[in-house]
Amino acid sequence: MRSLLRQALWVGIALLCAFAFAIVTGVVRPQEKVNALWMVVAAACFYVLAFRFYGRFLARTVVGLDDRRVTPAHRLNDGKNFYPTHRWVLFGHHFAAIAGAGPLLGPVLAAQFGYLPGFLWLVIGAVVAGAVQDFVILVGSLRRNGRSLPQIARDEIGVVTGVATTIAVLFIVIVALAGLGLAVVNALAHNAWGTFTLVMTIPIALFMGLYLQRWRPGRVGEVSLIGVALLFAAVVLGRPVAALPVGSWFDLGRESLIWGLAGYGFVASVLPIWLLLAPRDYLSSFMKVGVVVLLATGVVVMAPDLHMPPTTAFIAGGGPIIPGTLFPFVFITIACGAISGFHSLICSGTTPKMLEREGHALVGYGAMLMESFVGVMALIAASILLPGDYFAINTALPAAQLTAMGFPPVEVGELSQLVETNVQGRPGGAVSLAVGMATIFASVPGLRGLIAYWYQFALLFEALFILTTIDAGTRVARYLVQEMGSSAYQRFGDLNWGPGVAIASGAVVGAWGYLIANGSISTIWPMFGAANQLLGTLALCVGTTLLIKMGKARYLWVTAVPMVFVGTITFTASWQLYDLFSAKAAAATVAKEAFNFRLDAALVASVALLAVIILAESARQWYGYLVQKRPYRTTEIMGTEAYPIPTDPTL
């Protein structure tokens, strides 16, 4: 009886999912405005079904998770980088580390093309591409002592591929961190309230780390309640502090914010992982998950209509926010919400060094679905704004020009008064997202007068998303720099050697800080999106090799199909971006601008060339294993012994 009820429940969820998708896509009621409620229902049902069936298939059948294996967190425990972590704290760290600006700002910027293309790529791409990449790479790294993606590529594919992957990953992560940091800088410039609140999360996280490690070990519930209470206090106190003379300390310009951000990234990279990075990510995850759930609840209760049309005229190009046509730019603009190569660095960086049990590796699949849901909520927040107001916030175009495009601003002045900040002409997506979120929260009866608080709360929400990716990403990049430097000086590769840690961390923050200082959202974000998706292609390529060496060649379609699709998209985008940056460099009248555009073009071209080398070498290896039946070796381990893998990779 219980089995029949369970089956009936899953059938009911599947039918509800299909009906909601039919409404969102216009198959049902095509003449009516779509209510945001149906986007929430369609996405939530789709994720639940995917985790229950596809996620379980990957865990049990494709990779065969086994809790009898000893994880690196236990075997190599050093109290700094390798450290067994409670599964909920681990989820908090992992989700906070992967969920940066991409799922928040990418969908907002992609709303330029209409809500439908972005929504479909978010939900379908995450299930069949992004979550698969994260899970396979996490398991592969976990079974190789937490090795990084470049190390795995070198060990499993070859030295050439390993070197190319290391260089490509380092380029990509620097560009990614610059794109994420730029969003923080644009959102918090001369915003004392928001800056104060964000700064306070650092001592709160340090307190939580010491509380959990030194004073009350294992008391996760206690420290969670204290941390959340302190976080909300920081939001509430931000407004009066900003009005006091001391508030001028937090009223920072763009340059000061860049220096402050670089300083934070450096400190988070060198301190023990349990002291700042893990507790801060765990604290942030409470706000992230909580706010997403509150947003979804608000949408379900208030059921706002989507004012943005399903598609706009900009699908053919000529949009004021993102250059280029729907294909390929909607895919690279959405970036992290559907698939993110950056995730593979976390999945082969900090997270595999913290897993208590191998069965907890499903965090890689589930956290990606949660991030995709964040992207859906961001898309809704942007799409409930009137299109004219959306474009007035995200561009610097005058009202007359927007009106001539068919998108006259209507309520942008009133919105600025309500949130007590001028929101017009604030490109980058962060401000329009905060306005949309505040509008949803303030639509609850009796809360309209608190919209300014909701706006600052939303900005903090965004900034926490971004900073937790910056700190984890900087640490992962530091690992890569130390790994590269060890070939010249062996001790430099010791992750606990102070001088090496400081030099590598300084080089990383200096590189992404330079790009932030000299870039804009229209140059860095498309480059970040293309580079990020190229890294996703490479991660799926490495994942395909790992499946072959697990003796699971019959399931290669799991990684190979999304690899081909994402690769086609990003190579097309890279070619177009190279032409775009080269043209801007040729037209620039200032030498510094010309240099920066040439640098952008060189970065895109270099990463694309490295990707071609890696894919070609991998394809050669696959042909040898699958067609020529060549034997192979693997570095996968079980406990302290070599894991026995058959040498005949038959299907």
Side-chain angles (χ1 to χ4, degrees), residues 62-148:
V62 176
V63 303
L65 295 183
D66 186 354
D67 282 339
R68 293 174 298 177
R69 292 174 181 260
V70 180
T71 65
H74 291 286
R75 188 168 55 252
L76 305 175
N77 188 350
D78 61 7
K80 294 182 179 180
N81 298 294
F82 292 85
Y83 184 72
T85 306
H86 188 280
R87 62 177 178 175
W88 292 115
V89 177
L90 175 73
F91 176 84
H93 159 72
H94 183 76
F95 176 66
I98 67 169
L104 290 174
L105 306 186
V108 172
L109 299 175
Q112 165 190 280
F113 299 108
Y115 71 79
L116 187 56
F119 174 74
L120 293 177
W121 175 233
L122 276 168
V123 294
I124 299 173
V127 167
V128 302
V132 171
Q133 171 213 262
D134 292 10
F135 177 68
V136 172
I137 295 300
L138 177 56
V139 173
S141 177
L142 177 67
R143 293 176 177 176
R144 289 165 176 80
N145 282 339
R147 289 192 182 102
S148 68

Side-chain angles (χ1 to χ4, degrees), residues 553-568:
R554 66 174 65 88
Y555 301 117
L556 287 189
W557 54 269
V558 165
T559 53
V561 171
M563 178 192 71
V564 172
F565 181 73
V566 177
T568 301

